[in-house]
Amino acid sequence: MDLFEYQGKQYFARFGIAVSPGDIADTVEEAVAVAERVGYPVVVKAQVKVGGRGKAGGVKLANDVDEVRLHAGNILGLDIKGHIVRRLWIERSSDIAKEYYASFTLDRPNKTHLGMLSAQGGVEIEVVAEENPDAIAFLSIDPVRGLDLATARRWVNEAELDEAAREQTAELLVKLYDCYTKGDCDLAEVNPLILTPDNRVHALDAKVTLDENASFRHPEWEEFRATETDDPREKMAKERGLNYIGLDGTVGIIANGAGLAMSTLDVVNQVGGTAANFLDIGGGANADVMAAALEVINSDPKVKAIFVNIFGGITRVDEVAKGVLEALERVKISSPIVLRLDGTNAVEGRAILAPHLSATLITEPTMLDAARRVVAFANA
Amino acid sequence: MSIFVDENTKVIVQGLTGSQGRFHGLRNRDYGTKVVGGVTPGKGGTDVDGIPVFNTVKEAVEATGATASFIVVPPKFASEAILEAAAGGITFIVCITEGIPAHDEAVTFNRLVEEFPGVRLLGPNCPGIISPGKCNIGITSGDIALAGGPVGIVSRSGTLTYQALHELSQQGIGQTTCVGIGGDPVPGTNFIDCLAAFQADPETKAVMMIGEIGGSEEERAAEWIKHNMTKPVVSYIAGVTAPPGRKMGHAGAIISGSKGTAQAKMDALRAAGVHVCLNPTEAGQKMVEIVKGL
């Protein structure tokens, strides 16, 4: 789960990482109130989960109340790469002497943690990595041993940060590592990490991705979940406990297993269609799950046809077939449905469906045949 | 021959008394796997359909001589269960648990490597391993597999593994072993481990490798294949149309920035001489063609 900047900063603050004083605002009046509280000048920042906010006009400096009104009014409702700004973060503006970069993430091939630190911050780290790879100091961290202050000190020296920033940065890095591990982050990134003219180091931005597998030990994540998605389809799916990702196409997809669901998207694409979603109903494809899945897909006005792709392993296809029929009694579906049922008890499953098949409820023997059929419906 | 397990592998099930453990443990036994015991703390001395239950892995190993363990416990207990298995004398651990935090996996994997270097972990979040006709540890339905080889299968995805087994079995092509390595970011056993074992196994004549977006294991596997693999490899990579930045069901299936795309993986595999196919059906057909030409 990706956090908004303001959530990332609040998360950092819990681990003692210095951030600028500020608060959120959903209206111009709230923005003014926050600005008056934290003191001018302030920065008005669009809260969207996408890069390039500054270039899109989503980050502005305001020196007085009129400027706060002007910028907050302009930024709220702004469309940044398809993300509509609904919330602002207003924080005290910082004078910047130097901009650095720091992050922790999992180094998957080596199964260790990877720290990246650079004296060249404020720009995308991918660009630095491409143009000037030597400017990044990489640190491989054994997850069992963790990161201690002595190692962090050597690391800031190696990254050639300004002398005045080194000790504070080393301490901040240990806290950031703490946030990354104890806070169960997939990614904890500060860009820029700044040194002010009066020699203070703090996080001017926050990019945090949380590992949802760890949510059982983080009840405090509930507040982040509430703001996780704007997509009404994804909200609906989440309420029904479905593993759903909204896309832009016209073929609704229901499959069991993440790999098969991904593969279904690919095959639909190969035969000239576009998927409206990714939806993995997992192992327990009973009537409740199937009804919930069909409901979510049916709520998507772009969907023109639905592809149910099931390979029974532990999931029994006869149970799936019963689930589909039961679901159809409960939910009125407006699009034609093409099913491909294979694997455990597929013969029984197809037999259960046979008397109910029609011009809009169709089975096909293979994944490819079914994809062709469903795409023909969607593109008709 | 098979890799990692065979008809003599003795297996205990950690979590046998739970509903999932009981269901899959008994299915594995019914398939012919030597399921010799279960482990549930506090339930030692009882049994599940005749399979004795022990309080600890150590007791189970001492009493049964088991060398493999099948872990079916909830995510918050899985890391502890893996380390207990290793400390108790198990050398091959299959953990199907889905939803273990990545940081726990990273710590557990590194502790295993350091403290128990001889132990192999398969998973977590994997369907398990089946050597048709000999041994089935995990949740794969035994009836979609066909004994006798000559194909080895290694896959990151559960249902696509079933799909691959099914496509081959229907064409009368058997499998030596089918290994599901799982879709998490820190898998205990990776593609290269399995490819190397298949390359060394005289009965495996060709390998089907099923990957997906995220990470760089497929690229690393491609590099390994280029320099070490003499047997033909057919591959399919799921997620060509997956959007960046979204986890496609599996914790490990995510395109980060420009890294981990299906296209990069397919390009790397093609460059290593692998037959890359665009969907599972095509991959099955290609493998049939290759096996018939052997």
Side-chain angles (χ1 to χ4, degrees), chain A residues 2-23:
Chain A
D2 294 332
L3 298 189
F4 286 109
E5 174 199 1
Y6 76 91
Q7 293 169 329
K9 283 182 170 168
Q10 288 167 352
Y11 208 59
F12 281 176
R14 287 179 205 181
F15 292 88
I17 297 162
V19 294
S20 307
D23 209 342

Side-chain angles (χ1 to χ4, degrees), chain A residues 358-377:
Chain A
S358 67
T360 55
L361 185 68
I362 294 155
T363 59
E364 288 285 353
T366 72
M367 197 160 148
L368 265 179
D369 293 333
R372 285 194 189 104
R373 179 66 83 95
V374 79
V375 167
F377 273 122

Side-chain angles (χ1 to χ4, degrees), chain A residues 111 186 211 263 266 270 340, chain B residues 102 110 163 236 239 247 278:
Chain A
K111 292 161 179 168
D186 283 341
D211 173 12
S263 185
D266 294 347
Q270 270 170 35
R340 173 266 183 163
Chain B
N110 282 281
Q163 173 85 35
Y236 166 67
K247 278 183 183 165
L278 294 177

Side-chain angles (χ1 to χ4, degrees), chain A residues 108-109 111 113 142 145 180 185-186 211 213 217 234 243 245 256-257 259 263 266 269-270 311 314 340 342, chain B residues 99-104 109-110 114 139 157 159 162-163 166 187 216 236 239-241 246-247 249 252 278-279:
Chain A
R108 287 168 59 159
K111 292 161 179 168
H113 296 309
D142 179 340
R145 293 192 173 76
Y180 166 70
C185 304
D186 283 341
D211 173 12
N213 282 350
R217 58 187 174 213
E234 290 187 1
N243 190 351
I245 293 174
N256 69 319
S263 185
D266 294 347
N269 186 264
Q270 270 170 35
F311 193 94
I314 291 308
R340 173 266 183 163
D342 235 326
Chain B
I100 302 175
H103 286 279
D104 294 5
F109 180 85
N110 282 281
E114 250 173 64
I139 61 176
S157 151
T159 29
Y162 309 152
Q163 173 85 35
H166 177 74
S216 54
Y236 166 67
V240 176
T241 52
R246 304 298 302 267
K247 278 183 183 165
L278 294 177
N279 58 62

